[in-house]
Amino acid sequence: KRKFTYGFSIGIHTSAYQLRYSEKFVNDLTTLQSVVPEFRTGFSLGFLVNLRMHDMLDLRLMPKAGFYNHAIRYYYTDNATIKSQLLETTMVELPLLLKYKSMRRGNVRMYMVGGLTPAFEASGRREVESTTSELTIRKGNLSLDGGLGFDFYFPLFKLSQEIRYSRGMVNILGDYASDYRDPIRSITTNTISVYFIF
């Protein structure tokens, strides 16, 4: 019944970029066959501030640090050459979410959650002097989140298990020209996360 409650979260996720090919890839690049992003795992740690607006509706802020690994493979037409780019980033994320809860059945309650997550890079691969040798991404992102979970009530705390899908809404492809950037027009993020919230 408290107006404000606090907690922390531990999350694991799998994430991959979604790419769109550029006009240069379609018209000019004859040696490159395809560019394929791969799903890679990571984890996050964060805090929770929950505002109880109604018995079935909460507003929550979940600041967290997310550790991401993204991989992109470049396949060439000779069927022998494969190049790859690995981008490791640490993101400070600020999910602002609405939580709609079902009626409580004993000590269990189901809920749906949705909202927006702005994110800012805290550390990772930087734009080094030799920018022609690697792919760069921008330092900010904005994603649309949706998920569902279960609240389990215990005498001294509440445990929530939640699965959430996050879809990037902005193009995070860096501005620096490189051989790895030429075939790509835009990059957005796709992330599936499982959270344990205390």
Side-chain angles (χ1 to χ4, degrees):
K1 299 294 184 180
R2 290 180 180 175
K3 193 75 172 175
F4 285 95
T5 51
Y6 308 92
F8 65 94
S9 67
I10 302 170
I12 55 175
H13 59 250
T14 179
S15 181
Y17 289 141
Q18 181 169 330
L19 311 177
R20 290 189 177 180
Y21 289 119
S22 66
E23 292 292 333
K24 188 170 185 178
F25 171 80
V26 176
N27 298 322
D28 300 333
L29 299 178
T30 58
T31 59
L32 184 64
Q33 178 182 325
S34 61
V35 182
V36 181
E38 296 182 344
F39 275 94
R40 292 289 182 99
T41 57
F43 69 98
S44 65
L45 300 170
F47 298 96
L48 165 69
V49 180
N50 194 88
L51 170 63
R52 185 177 184 272
M53 304 172 65
H54 184 268
D55 185 52
M56 293 187 178
L57 188 65
D58 292 350
L59 178 66
R60 54 172 40 179
L61 178 65
M62 295 183 67
K64 60 188 175 79
F67 302 90
Y68 293 89
N69 292 303
H70 289 102
I72 303 175
R73 288 190 178 271
Y74 295 74
Y75 294 90
Y76 291 82
T77 53
D78 61 5
N79 293 322
T81 306
I82 300 174
K83 297 181 180 180
S84 63
Q85 287 283 282
L86 178 64
L87 297 102
E88 300 175 343
T89 54
T90 300
M91 304 295 290
V92 176
E93 300 172 314
L94 302 169
L96 184 61
L97 307 167
L98 278 174
K99 177 184 177 183
Y100 179 72
K101 302 173 286 187
S102 69
M103 292 182 63
R104 181 170 166 174
R105 305 289 184 183
N107 288 323
V108 180
R109 194 175 211 170
M110 186 180 178
Y111 65 87
M112 296 184 296
V113 66
L116 292 172
T117 300
F120 310 93
E121 183 181 351
S123 66
R125 176 175 288 189
R126 298 298 185 184
E127 291 83 355
V128 295
E129 293 179 3
S130 180
T131 55
T132 57
S133 64
E134 64 177 29
L135 184 70
T136 59
I137 59 171
R138 296 178 181 173
K139 296 181 179 65
N141 194 16
L142 179 67
S143 59
L144 183 65
D145 294 11
L148 54 89
F150 290 89
D151 288 332
F152 298 94
Y153 294 84
F154 295 91
L156 300 179
F157 69 98
K158 179 173 68 174
L159 168 65
S160 301
Q161 296 178 3
E162 178 182 315
I163 184 168
R164 193 189 308 165
Y165 173 69
S166 179
R167 167 73 171 147
M169 301 173 63
V170 297
N171 178 16
I172 61 170
L173 180 62
D175 296 325
Y176 288 96
S178 73
D179 295 336
Y180 292 106
R181 188 191 189 281
D182 286 345
I184 303 171
R185 186 178 70 183
S186 68
I187 295 177
T188 53
T189 54
N190 288 299
T191 306
I192 301 172
S193 305
V194 175
Y195 293 99
F196 298 91
I197 303 168
F198 299 84

